[in-house]
Amino acid sequence: MRILITGAAGFLGSHLCDAYVEQGHEVIAMDNFITGNPKNLAHLAGKPGFSFIRQDVSNFIFVPEKVDAVLHFASPASPNPKSPYGYTNLPIQTMKAGAMGTHNALGVAKANKAKFLLASTSEIYGDPLEHPQKESYYGHVDTIGIRAVYDEAKRFAESLTMAYHRFHDVDTRIVRIFNTYGPGMNLDDGRVVPNFIQQALRGEPLTIYGDGLQTRSFCYVSDLIRGICALLDSNEHLPVNIGNPVENTMIELAEAINRLTNNPAGLVFKKDARVGDDPQQRRPDITRAKTILNWEPLVSLEEGLLKTIPYFERAMK
Ligand code: UDP
């Protein structure tokens, strides 16, 4: 296959490029480097089958060759208002990537009769009232909250993807990605795993927002990429949750990272950093992925953190 990957220099986009180049496919990587990092693709430059186009997906996308699949991963994705990459600091670009970017990427898929895969998110469930979250849950989202620029853009992107599937018969897939971590995350991404690991490596206390009892479920990147590849290979057009169903509080995560890095500095609690818009719990119900894709995560949190810590050690130098 020749595969167009938008957001290719991002954390997940770059791992997808690696996976598909390794499987012997041709990859056309696309990114405008607003939040993507060229370092994530540097090792692929010059490899047979790999090419790169610098482009903002919210403008018309011209691809010089026929493509067999389009994977739309371009979007800011960090909710942290303190990060320069946070979508609350890039609100218009985030809505454009989800709306116009998805429209353009779907247009490429339609013109090429190619498969299309949308990177959607657990954020479409908002601050969920149903737990764990099944794909059938409609979500609990504030249309004007600070996270809305991301959540609503992705909800629109899902609707547009289904419209292209139903109306134009495009062969679409939708993956709802839950919290994922691993090598390749930006140092100033601002999400919890990069923050905690860097604080721990500097011997500082880990900053817990709120009471630390809020939960997330963390999936190691190799498990996630395997799930996405399986979804692309499947015939499933409805959304599929991909994530790790093991749920941890932020205190448990912080304590694990302090233990694995031998950081004696402990934890520090900071109030109200996310101004009441922080989902209190999040865990995927992965029954659909298990049944349809025969997929489930294999890497435990401890194993995944042990693979991620050395990346941050190198990147911080
Ligand atoms: N969080 C934290 N300390 C940090 C960064 C994040 O306690 O330095 C918390 C945050 O309030 C949230 C959870 O960790 O409850 C996960 O946040 P993240 O930014 O990783 O992404 P989210 O899952 O909210 O999209």
Side-chain angles (χ1 to χ4, degrees), residues 77-80 82 87 121-123 147 150 179 185 189-196 199 206-210 212 214-216 218 250-251 253 268 270 273-274 277-280 282:
S78 172
N80 196 320
K82 286 189 205 133
Y87 52 69
T121 167
S122 56
E123 293 256 343
R147 284 181 180 246
Y150 185 65
N179 292 66
M185 298 183 93
D189 176 276
R191 270 175 284 193
V192 67
V193 172
N195 276 11
F196 282 1
Q199 288 162 346
L206 311 197
T207 53
I208 306 252
Y209 300 159
Q214 70 272 39
T215 67
R216 295 292 187 273
F218 294 99
M250 292 311 101
I251 293 179
L253 174 71
V268 56
K270 296 201 167 176
R274 300 281 181 93
D277 211 20
D278 198 1
Q280 285 311 293
R282 189 185 286 155

Side-chain angles (χ1 to χ4, degrees), residues 31-42:
D31 209 294
N32 64 351
F33 298 131
I34 283 196
T35 59
N37 186 347
K39 282 188 192 157
N40 282 340
L41 295 178

Side-chain angles (χ1 to χ4, degrees), residues 87 121-152 155 158 176 178 216 276-282:
Y87 52 69
T121 167
S122 56
E123 293 256 343
I124 66 107
Y125 300 121
D127 191 359
L129 301 177
E130 186 180 297
H131 194 72
Q133 293 81 50
K134 285 196 194 74
E135 290 87 346
S136 55
Y137 179 51
Y138 292 162
H140 178 230
V141 184
D142 176 359
T143 56
I144 55 166
I146 55 163
R147 284 181 180 246
V149 292
Y150 185 65
D151 304 3
E152 295 296 347
R155 290 171 71 95
E158 287 199 4
R176 290 188 182 150
F178 283 66
R216 295 292 187 273
D277 211 20
D278 198 1
Q280 285 311 293
Q281 48 181 13
R282 189 185 286 155

Side-chain angles (χ1 to χ4, degrees), residues 58-124:
S58 44
N59 299 323
F60 181 84
I61 301 174
F62 174 73
V63 185
E65 294 156 295
K66 186 173 181 340
V67 295
D68 306 295
V70 177
L71 275 51
H72 183 40
F73 277 70
S75 176
S78 172
N80 196 320
K82 286 189 205 133
S83 165
Y85 303 123
Y87 52 69
T88 56
N89 297 317
L90 300 164
I92 318 292
Q93 290 98 322
T94 302
M95 295 214 77
K96 284 170 79 176
M100 286 117 99
T102 304
H103 188 215
N104 291 330
L106 278 162
V108 174
K110 176 172 167 262
N112 284 273
K113 296 196 175 5
K115 290 185 192 181
F116 177 85
L117 186 144
L118 173 70
S120 185
T121 167
S122 56
E123 293 256 343
I124 66 107

